[in-house]
């Protein structure tokens, strides 16, 4: 369902206006990224959409890089598309800036590196093996429901030192969160939030050495974190890694199902999976963060005014042929996919979970292809994907011979 049209501000040239609802982009056969690429091909480097409250969308890699890298000109505090309802709490740390943002972020970073990273990945790999072993003889599955959504939940549980048994409860809710009905969705979000709040209260009373305890004992700007901040930050670590990881895995799985030569090559040369994972990730950007112009600024002669919201479809960076030759092709022999791909963003908000997510993609491909090397899309049950702040794979039926 499309949202209403906001008035076009006077400083926005009519030639840059496109009626694009970032929550309602229609996949093309069944690839949502091809639909985005088509939009990019038809658009100037920066467009203005009157949907979702009205906002800019950088369409080309160089504009995305400029917005993400200039934290003075483009701020995160309060920025979201569509705008946050009045009175709602900012998402932590993603909707904060400067010193406050650095403090929030410092509580997460020790848990996404070194031993906690390794422990989380070991747990995710063990679970991936268990899940694929369980699916192998069935000959079919819904990849999102039966495989992809479980891994990021297991990773989160590892970071916060909670038992694997909680995974089934959270994954049932994750399934509801993907449903189209907003009321059902909000109810499931509320229950996930309540789960996190309960764990926060347990750790405030009885701290350990896990991430929740670290956040709960954190100090920002010379004062202790409030309970709302603690719960909000823990929730964002869960939500930040849930749909993003599960959906990217889904887009990759769908692509592998339809591209036999690529799949066979990865099966024959499995070392390429970890060596070339960035090239695979580049092709499937999923996140759509937002910024707000802090002051009037000019882009290639275009006026962006202070307060203007900007939606950054990171996927468009990886699809720009001015940056990547044949961007729709996963080219395992591409000379370098380089650290400048923007699937995980860049600048001070660059995804703290990037190493976790990279490793989750590697272990998924390694463990799946080893056990189910040949699989296909199901002709009468197409993949269901959706665009938005995270481009999601809601359902991906796959089949294979047993
Ligand atoms: C494929 C998976 C993932 C993708 C594509 C992704 C993408 C992104 C992007 C583009 C940003 C930058 C947002 C901005 O500039 O405003 C971001 C931030 C963030 N991500 Fe991820 N992410 C992924 C997985 C994860 C995981 C596994 C975690 C769990 C630790 C996580 C937690 C976060 C958090 C907490 C932030 C906010 C960081 C800040 O504001 O400083 N993400 N992510």
């Amino acid at each position: 369902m499309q949202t209403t049209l906001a008035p076009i501000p006077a400083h926005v040239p009519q030639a840059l206006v496109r009626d694009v609802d970032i929550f309602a982009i229609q996949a093309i056969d069944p690839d949502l990224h091809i639909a985005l690429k088509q939009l990019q091909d038809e658009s100037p480097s920066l467009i203005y959409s009157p949907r979702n409250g009205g906002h800019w969308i950088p369409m080309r890699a160089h504009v995305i890089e400029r917005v993400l890298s200039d934290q003075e000109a483009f701020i995160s505090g309060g920025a979201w598309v569509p705008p946050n309802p009045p009175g709602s709490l900012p998402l932590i740390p993603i909707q904060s800036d400067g010193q406050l943002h650095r403090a929030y972020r410092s509580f997460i970073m020790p848990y996404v590196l070194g031993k906690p990273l390794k422990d989380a990945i070991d747990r995710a790999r063990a679970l991936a093996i268990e899940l694929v072993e369980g699916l192998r003889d069935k000959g079919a599955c819904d990849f999102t429901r039966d495989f992809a959504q479980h891994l990021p939940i297991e990773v989160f549980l590892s970071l916060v030192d909670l038992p694997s048994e909680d995974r089934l409860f959270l994954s049932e809710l994750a399934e509801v969160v993907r449903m189209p009905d907003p009321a059902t969705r909000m109810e499931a979000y509320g229950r996930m939030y309540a789960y996190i709040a309960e764990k926060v209260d347990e750790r405030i009373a009885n701290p350990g050495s896990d991430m929740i305890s670290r956040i709960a004992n954190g100090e920002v700007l010379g004062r202790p974190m409030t309970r709302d901040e603690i719960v909000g930050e823990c929730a964002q670590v869960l939500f930040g890694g849930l749909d993003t990881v599960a959906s990217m895995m889904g887009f990759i799985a769908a692509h592998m199902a339809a591209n036999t030569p690529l799949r066979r090559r990865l099966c024959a040369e499995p070392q390429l999976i970890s060596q070339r994972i960035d090239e695979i990730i580049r092709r499937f950007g999923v996140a759509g963060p937002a910024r707000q112009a802090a002051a009037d600024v000019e882009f290639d002669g275009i006026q962006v005014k202070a307060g203007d919201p900007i939606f950054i479809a990171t996927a468009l960076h990886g699809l720009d042929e001015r940056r990547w030759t044949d961007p729709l092709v996963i080219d395992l022999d591409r000379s370098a996919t380089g650290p400048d791909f923007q699937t995980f963003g860049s600048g001070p908000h660059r995804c703290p979970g990037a190493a976790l997510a990279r490793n989750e993609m590697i272990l998924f491909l390694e463990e799946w292809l080893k056990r189910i090397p040949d699989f296909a899309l199901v002709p009468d049950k197409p993949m269901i994907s959706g665009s938005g702040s995270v481009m999601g794979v809601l359902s991906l039926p796959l089949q294979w011979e047993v």
Side-chain angles (χ1 to χ4, degrees):
M1 195 183 60
Q2 292 239 315
T3 54
T4 51
L5 294 165
I8 307 293
H11 63 279
V12 175
Q14 199 54 42
L16 302 183
V17 176
R18 297 286 186 283
D19 185 1
V20 173
D21 186 339
I22 49 124
F23 288 87
I25 292 173
Q26 296 303 313
I28 297 177
D29 199 22
D31 193 329
L32 204 48
H33 290 82
I34 291 184
L36 273 185
K37 176 72 197 129
Q38 191 166 307
L39 184 64
Q40 183 179 60
D41 290 343
E42 293 163 355
S43 304
S45 336
L46 185 62
I47 63 172
Y48 190 90
S49 165
R51 300 279 172 190
N52 298 296
H55 59 90
W56 295 98
I57 312 178
M59 297 304 292
R60 289 285 170 183
H62 71 283
V63 193
I64 292 174
E65 282 165 20
R66 181 160 163 209
V67 174
L68 288 177
S69 63
D70 191 343
Q71 68 207 72
E72 304 295 324
F74 305 102
I75 54 171
S76 298
W80 211 248
V81 176
N84 289 331
S88 58
L89 296 170
L91 295 172
I92 296 172
I94 208 163
Q95 291 178 333
S96 62
D97 296 289
Q99 219 186 331
L100 185 61
H101 169 252
R102 282 193 292 281
Y104 286 146
R105 203 175 147 101
S106 70
F107 310 141
I108 301 175
M109 293 317 288
Y111 296 90
V112 291
L113 305 163
K115 186 169 182 314
L117 169 71
K118 184 179 177 310
D119 290 348
I121 293 309
D122 287 349
R123 256 172 86 165
R125 188 180 288 273
L127 176 64
I129 294 171
E130 183 191 320
L131 293 172
V132 197
E133 292 282 347
L135 291 171
R136 181 164 38 184
D137 292 339
K138 295 200 163 109
C141 75
D142 185 304
F143 181 81
T144 307
R145 185 196 61 210
D146 299 331
F147 183 81
Q149 73 176 14
H150 295 272
L151 301 183
I153 295 175
E154 189 70 13
V155 162
F156 174 77
L157 292 172
S158 175
L159 301 181
V160 298
D161 194 19
L162 286 167
S164 295
E165 291 81 73
D166 290 12
R167 177 173 53 82
L168 291 181
F169 163 75
L170 287 171
S171 65
E172 268 170 32
L173 290 178
E175 232 183 300
V176 182
V177 161
R178 293 197 301 272
M179 289 182 180
D181 173 41
T184 318
R185 244 185 6 234
M186 287 324 288
E187 207 255 335
Y189 269 124
R191 288 177 59 203
M192 276 196 186
Y193 210 79
Y195 166 87
I196 288 172
E198 186 191 309
K199 302 300 166 194
V200 163
D201 289 338
E202 280 171 24
R203 295 286 159 84
I204 289 174
N206 194 5
S209 56
D210 62 291
M211 188 194 291
I212 296 183
S213 303
R214 178 72 194 89
I215 294 173
N217 283 306
E219 275 206 0
V220 287
L221 310 178
R223 59 161 177 88
M225 292 273 280
T226 65
R227 185 173 173 280
D228 278 347
E229 285 174 315
I230 300 166
V231 178
E233 181 156 7
C234 295
Q236 214 213 315
V237 175
L238 171 62
F239 294 136
L242 182 55
D243 280 0
T244 47
V245 167
S247 296
M248 185 182 288
M249 268 180 201
F251 285 119
I252 294 174
H255 192 82
M256 294 293 161
N259 286 273
T260 302
L262 174 66
R263 202 178 62 240
R264 294 255 161 92
R265 181 148 180 228
L266 289 177
C267 290
E269 299 174 70
Q271 74 284 1
L272 287 178
I273 295 173
S274 56
Q275 286 169 5
R276 309 304 299 151
I277 195 67
D278 290 342
E279 166 62 2
I280 299 173
I281 288 174
R282 174 213 41 95
R283 167 69 172 76
F284 296 107
V286 292
R291 293 289 187 275
Q292 207 172 38
D296 294 358
V297 59
E298 200 186 294
F299 263 108
D300 304 345
I302 302 163
Q303 285 298 319
V304 172
K305 291 267 182 213
D308 281 0
I310 306 171
F311 176 85
I312 306 143
T314 54
L316 288 168
H317 189 280
L319 299 174
D320 188 351
E321 76 285 356
R322 297 178 196 166
R323 178 57 52 99
W324 315 98
T325 311
D326 284 336
L328 291 173
V329 174
I330 292 180
D331 177 0
L332 299 174
D333 303 313
R334 202 183 281 282
S335 58
T337 309
D340 62 341
F341 70 104
Q342 297 291 318
T343 309
F344 296 116
S346 54
H349 290 270
R350 183 175 191 275
C351 179
L356 279 168
R358 250 181 122 255
N359 278 284
E360 286 181 81
M361 297 309 140
I362 293 171
L363 70 89
F364 139 55
L365 285 168
E366 287 179 346
E367 303 305 339
W368 183 284
L369 291 178
K370 211 184 282 176
R371 292 168 178 82
I372 310 180
D374 280 318
F375 55 97
L377 300 172
V378 182
D380 53 343
K381 284 195 208 156
M383 161 180 179
I384 303 174
S385 56
S387 61
S389 338
V390 176
M391 305 216 317
V393 176
L394 313 185
S395 166
L396 174 59
L398 291 179
Q399 62 184 17
W400 55 91
E401 283 184 17
V402 288

